[in-house]
Amino acid sequence: MTINIQQLKKNFGDKTAVDIPDFSIAQGEILGLVGNNGAGKTTLFRLMLDLIKADEGTVTYTQEPSAEAIDPAQSEDWKQFTGSYIDDGFLIDFLTPEEYFEFIAQVNDIDKATLEERLSAFHAFMGGEILQQKKYIRNFSAGNKQKIGIIAALLHQPSLVVLDEPFNFLDPTSQNILKRLLQDYNQSTNATILVSSHNLQHTIDISTRVALLEEGHIVKDLPNANGSAEEVLESYFEI
């Protein structure tokens, strides 16, 4: 999955939330998106997922080099190959996790046996706290809601994954398991993965490339082979 952003702008009143003239993400990249509060990370993701409308410009997805580009603002086709989790507003919280996962499976034509097989890959991540708890999602902790949302985003094995602050609310063990899950998923499927995070170390650990946002602009686009972006990012944030 390749992504192309052209002349993308979004303002809220006098505030520039996103202003990206030209930016591309190649298939198979893990792009870490970093920046201080208000930098535009979540707004960019919401534009990419057609949750809000751009004032100008486009985001397009292309599954194969010869395929036609898909604009999520103009077509629903992108939903078939995209998995995302922004916040617990994505969850259907009056369902149990089992019911929610079954709903995701039905929408994506996943049979029961395949669903059980895919859920088993998240056994360590769930930590025995998600399934068979006999309670609705709304009654889970923030960390376990986060896990449910991330698992649901990956269940249909999307070629594009968008996760906003996925390490939030997770304990250290779950954070490390999630890092391995995302890296393994990327390596096994060549999916394009976009992750925003305030946690620089986690971002550096998993990303093949890091984009730094400031007031809606991408001010640095850093390759991250062997953690090479770390020094620049630590200097920028004065760590």
Side-chain angles (χ1 to χ4, degrees), residues 41-92:
K41 303 184 300 297
T42 300
T43 300
L44 175 57
F45 281 175
R46 289 185 176 278
L47 288 167
M48 296 178 70
L49 297 170
D50 195 36
L51 296 172
I52 56 176
K53 297 297 183 182
D55 296 328
E56 298 179 31
T58 59
V59 177
T60 56
Y61 302 138
T62 307
Q63 285 189 280
E64 299 175 5
S66 59
E68 183 177 350
I70 298 171
D71 182 344
Q74 303 295 328
S75 169
E76 298 290 316
D77 293 347
W78 62 280
K79 294 181 178 180
Q80 300 172 18
F81 54 75
T82 303
S84 60
Y85 184 69
I86 302 295
D87 55 40
D88 61 13
F90 275 47
L91 303 174
I92 304 176

Side-chain angles (χ1 to χ4, degrees), residues 54-174:
D55 296 328
E56 298 179 31
T58 59
V59 177
T60 56
Y61 302 138
T62 307
Q63 285 189 280
E64 299 175 5
S66 59
E68 183 177 350
I70 298 171
D71 182 344
Q74 303 295 328
S75 169
E76 298 290 316
D77 293 347
W78 62 280
K79 294 181 178 180
Q80 300 172 18
F81 54 75
T82 303
S84 60
Y85 184 69
I86 302 295
D87 55 40
D88 61 13
F90 275 47
L91 303 174
I92 304 176
D93 67 359
F94 57 82
L95 300 178
T96 66
E98 289 90 342
E99 291 170 336
Y100 184 54
F101 295 147
E102 288 170 5
F103 169 75
I104 298 295
Q106 290 174 5
V107 168
N108 291 282
D109 295 323
I110 300 170
D111 61 44
K112 186 173 181 180
T114 302
L115 172 62
E116 291 177 357
E117 178 184 355
R118 292 185 183 178
L119 284 175
S120 68
F122 298 100
H123 178 76
F125 186 52
M126 289 189 281
E129 297 181 337
I130 304 298
L131 301 179
Q132 300 178 341
Q133 300 302 302
K134 297 182 179 180
K135 60 182 181 181
Y136 299 122
I137 292 172
R138 63 171 173 253
N139 295 322
F140 280 81
S141 68
N144 283 329
K145 287 179 182 176
Q146 190 87 342
K147 292 181 182 182
I148 293 166
I150 292 168
I151 292 167
L154 295 171
L155 268 183
H156 64 293
Q157 298 186 339
S159 56
L160 172 61
V161 179
V162 180
L163 301 175
D164 191 23
E165 297 288 353
F167 302 105
N168 275 3
F169 313 118
L170 301 183
D171 59 65
T173 297
S174 298

Side-chain angles (χ1 to χ4, degrees), residues 9-18 43 53 55:
K9 294 183 180 181
K10 181 65 179 180
N11 298 322
F12 294 108
D14 295 332
K15 178 179 172 54
T16 299
V18 169
T43 300
K53 297 297 183 182
D55 296 328

